[in-house]
Amino acid sequence: MNCDEILLNHCCNLAWQTQSLALPNPSVGAMVVDKNGNILGQGVHKIAGSPHAEVLALQEAYYTLSRDERILALKKSDDIHAFLLQNHNQMFKECALYVSLEPCNHKGKTPPCAHLLAQLGFAKVCIAALDNHALAAGGREYLISHGINAIFVQSPALQEAAHNLLLPFETLRQKGRFVLFKLAHRLDGSYTQGRISSQISQIFTHNQRSVCDWLCISGKTLNTDNPKLNARYALPPYDKTHLPQIGIISRHVDSISEHLASRARIIKDIEAFRALGGFIIVEGGFNLLSMLKDEIDMLLIHAAFWCDGAHNNAHFIPHNLKAHFKLIHTMPLGEDLAIWLR
Amino acid sequence: MNCDEILLNHCCNLAWQTQSLALPNPSVGAMVVDKNGNILGQGVHKIAGSPHAEVLALQEAYYTLSRDERILALKKSDDIHAFLLQNHNQMFKECALYVSLEPCNHKGKTPPCAHLLAQLGFAKVCIAALDNHALAAGGREYLISHGINAIFVQSPALQEAAHNLLLPFETLRQKGRFVLFKLAHRLDGSYTQGRISSQISQIFTHNQRSVCDWLCISGKTLNTDNPKLNARYALPPYDKTHLPQIGIISRHVDSISEHLASRARIIKDIEAFRALGGFIIVEGGFNLLSMLKDEIDMLLIHAAFWCDGAHNNAHFIPHNLKAHFKLIHTMPLGEDLAIWLR
């Protein structure tokens, strides 16, 4: 085992912080390290169309080494690429770049990262997962053919971590849809009546809503909570004005309030649910989970670690959930814990 | 920020795997890394009286470099120390040692690690937390005065992680007692009737029982489950025959079964609970937690991610818990997640 594995695992953890938010792109984390182990820059790919993780890590690393503030003003990937190529002055010759996914090798919305890295001339590029996407693949080969020591670091634990990180991206690409079920609960498992999650949890949830195609809830939630189902707490670069299409999962819906009617569809059964495409978020409790358990790709629990004495005794809602999920990642979200399962 | 911080955080994570099991000693994790970043050996301090983390990491590292199997046969810290001093042949001259806690500087149950490291002549020793324990402190100073580049790596995130890791040790040392409340639940928060945790969770729990002074349960659990309250699933080096003293927390206890009577004490109130000393484990649900919430130092949740349909609707037990815990660490235990809070 080599320290590269621990450092790549760190890049995977960075990438989880924006898990699902860059869809249809993968979440990626990267960092630039000098020969003394100093971390010059770190980056995560935040949203489709914005600079890739490697480019953001390079931007920060360039600033760390040069203190040239001009690069910080650049927002577009093209501009950062061009600036780096013109000004790098061999400063990365003895540096290593760590990245959770093979650098891309095609010009999509941004120029190819592999070409940029080759021209900057890194001493080493360490990669946790190869890209299977035919269009973007070949970054490692390109780097090697241009004289860069590009290493695919293989260990069972890291491979699993890197694979799990890519699940939403791979699922959406292969099946045309990625279904995430989101559930929040307090210390005792209660989840009804009022606030559960911390502010940072709420921001994460609204960032997800701002990039999803469908936001689904049960008819019961619609009637009980009359929710707004918007992304009002999303923070840039996520668009708080985005209004996802709404799926109301229910056999009978009496009425839909005016502010939702224009974007709501009644989902009467599993067949109708299966007809939805894209990034689909379902927010609900154990009864809805029980109904949809075979349809979901990932389960995200926001666990809060408090009880206030007021909700405890009212919370129990009978359900028939019979399911077994597999833990894939945890990360703190403010005071809460995000638990990712599949 | 430097990669040393990430590598020390990895050592802290290693140490959490034996959290509380080495009491009254701290849990410590260490690794030996060569100049190319290869991890030659890793170690965690497993149980009081056994070799320290640094010594186990050195033992593995020596074997990795030499393939000399004689060192693997050594179990006692004295013997490993002596063997290393005689046979190291400067092999660690260009290596770094990472350790979550300052190497000890006194001869306790084992010879001082700081002296061993100084004689082996490491290129660098990185430390996540200084030892405040007057008797053992001074390891870093000793190393520096013997020409070793011993670095106390300070960053807010790492300091917090290293501090949290030491909480059980510090609490026991300062207050004479460390109270851990342990609670297990399924995906929906249910925790009654039958199995909850995975086998690896159970082993961890029984390893803890094998080193604790008191194991406390409610009178209700005693009556309902007639539990064995032993450490039968503990694995070496933990002693599965250890029988902790039992505290029955209840105002009225009708009868205590014969196999428990000789080691059981009735704890009638908070005052009686406060009279207990040493490493105290309380295993219970939300009612007991509600009663003891101001008495506990840490809360450990074993979260299982399944529901079987059979227990769901019977599980709800009214409680009045009003409490707010702070997340300090998570780690997988087989299929379960261990969530450490305070």
Side-chain angles (χ1 to χ4, degrees), chain A residues 13-222:
Chain A
N13 288 343
L14 285 181
W16 273 98
Q17 293 174 4
T18 59
Q19 180 58 283
S20 77
L21 300 178
L23 287 173
N25 285 359
S27 288
V28 181
M31 66 178 178
V32 176
V33 175
D34 76 10
K35 65 174 175 177
N36 297 315
N38 294 307
I39 299 171
L40 305 176
Q42 300 188 88
V44 292
H45 182 44
K46 294 188 191 75
I47 189 168
S50 77
H52 285 180
E54 301 93 316
V55 176
L56 293 172
L58 284 166
Q59 183 180 36
E60 190 176 298
Y62 177 87
Y63 175 72
T64 301
L65 290 175
S66 69
R67 294 293 148 185
D68 178 349
E69 291 183 2
R70 287 177 301 162
I71 198 168
L72 300 182
L74 304 177
K75 303 297 171 202
K76 285 189 191 166
S77 201
D78 286 312
D79 295 339
I80 303 170
H81 275 240
F83 185 93
L84 286 168
L85 289 177
Q86 201 160 15
N87 296 284
H88 70 91
N89 202 15
Q90 310 296 321
M91 61 168 62
F92 299 115
K93 273 283 178 214
E94 297 187 301
C95 290
L97 182 123
Y98 293 84
V99 60
S100 64
L101 179 65
E102 185 177 19
C104 67
N105 194 34
H106 79 306
K107 173 119 185 62
K109 291 182 184 170
T110 63
C113 292
H115 297 206
L116 175 63
L117 295 172
Q119 289 192 260
L120 297 181
F122 274 83
K124 183 164 84 168
V125 173
C126 291
I127 300 164
L130 296 181
D131 194 336
N132 299 315
H133 193 192
L135 203 63
R140 180 173 169 247
E141 258 175 59
Y142 181 91
L143 286 166
I144 290 170
S145 72
H146 286 75
I148 306 284
N149 178 24
I151 307 167
F152 172 36
V153 177
Q154 296 187 56
S155 84
L158 181 62
Q159 289 321 293
E160 194 181 343
H163 171 75
N164 285 335
L165 173 63
L166 293 173
L167 271 180
F169 162 70
E170 293 283 2
T171 306
L172 182 59
R173 189 159 62 81
Q174 285 164 21
K175 302 200 303 185
R177 61 205 301 258
F178 168 67
V179 181
L180 177 73
F181 195 103
K182 184 236 161 182
L183 190 151
H185 66 64
R186 304 185 189 92
L187 181 61
D188 66 343
S190 68
Y191 61 91
T192 55
Q193 297 179 303
R195 188 180 72 83
I196 300 169
S197 300
S198 71
Q199 196 183 6
I200 290 173
S201 270
Q202 277 190 325
I203 291 168
F204 190 84
T205 295
H206 282 234
N207 287 348
Q208 286 183 308
R209 288 179 174 186
S210 79
V211 298
C212 77
D213 297 293
W214 286 92
L215 178 56
C216 298
I217 59 165
S218 70
K220 195 179 166 203
T221 298
L222 178 75

Side-chain angles (χ1 to χ4, degrees), chain B residues 11 64 118 129 177 218-219 269 271 324:
Chain B
C11 290
T64 302
R177 61 204 303 256
S218 70
D269 52 27
E271 284 309 309
H324 197 133

Side-chain angles (χ1 to χ4, degrees), chain B residues 219-273:
Chain B
K220 194 177 166 204
T221 298
L222 179 76
N223 294 327
T224 316
D225 298 354
N226 187 26
K228 296 192 180 74
L229 301 177
N230 58 24
R232 63 195 178 281
Y233 301 130
L235 293 181
Y238 307 103
D239 176 10
K240 68 179 180 181
T241 69
H242 174 73
L243 294 175
Q245 296 175 86
I246 306 295
I248 312 290
I249 300 172
S250 179
R251 283 188 198 286
H252 307 283
V253 175
D254 297 336
S255 69
I256 297 176
S257 61
E258 213 171 310
H259 75 282
L260 296 181
S262 65
R263 55 189 174 105
R265 183 193 294 183
I266 314 294
I267 314 281
K268 295 215 172 187
D269 52 27
I270 296 286
E271 284 309 309
F273 183 75

Side-chain angles (χ1 to χ4, degrees), chain A residues 1-3 10 36-39 187-188 286 305-307 309 312-313 315-316 318-319 321-323 325 330 341, chain B residues 1-3 6 36-39 187-188 286 305-307 309 312-313 315-316 318-319 321-323 325 330 341:
Chain A
M1 188 178 166
N2 190 284
C3 291
H10 172 78
N36 297 315
N38 294 307
I39 299 171
L187 181 61
D188 66 343
F286 294 110
F305 299 111
W306 58 272
C307 279
N312 308 340
N313 296 323
H315 91 270
F316 186 66
H319 65 85
L321 179 62
K322 190 172 175 177
F325 293 93
T330 64
L341 305 137
Chain B
M1 188 175 164
N2 190 284
C3 290
I6 297 172
N36 298 315
N38 294 307
I39 299 171
L187 181 61
D188 66 343
F286 294 109
F305 299 111
W306 57 274
C307 278
N312 308 343
N313 296 324
H315 91 271
F316 185 67
H319 66 84
L321 178 61
K322 190 173 174 178
F325 294 93
T330 64
L341 304 138

Side-chain angles (χ1 to χ4, degrees), chain B residues 148-195:
Chain B
I148 305 283
N149 178 23
I151 306 167
F152 172 37
V153 177
Q154 297 187 56
S155 84
L158 181 61
Q159 288 322 292
E160 194 181 345
H163 172 74
N164 285 335
L165 173 63
L166 293 172
L167 271 180
F169 162 70
E170 294 283 2
T171 305
L172 181 59
R173 188 161 63 82
Q174 285 164 20
K175 301 200 305 185
R177 61 204 303 256
F178 168 66
V179 181
L180 177 73
F181 196 104
K182 184 236 161 182
L183 190 151
H185 66 66
R186 303 185 189 92
L187 181 61
D188 66 343
S190 68
Y191 61 92
T192 56
Q193 297 178 306
R195 188 180 72 81

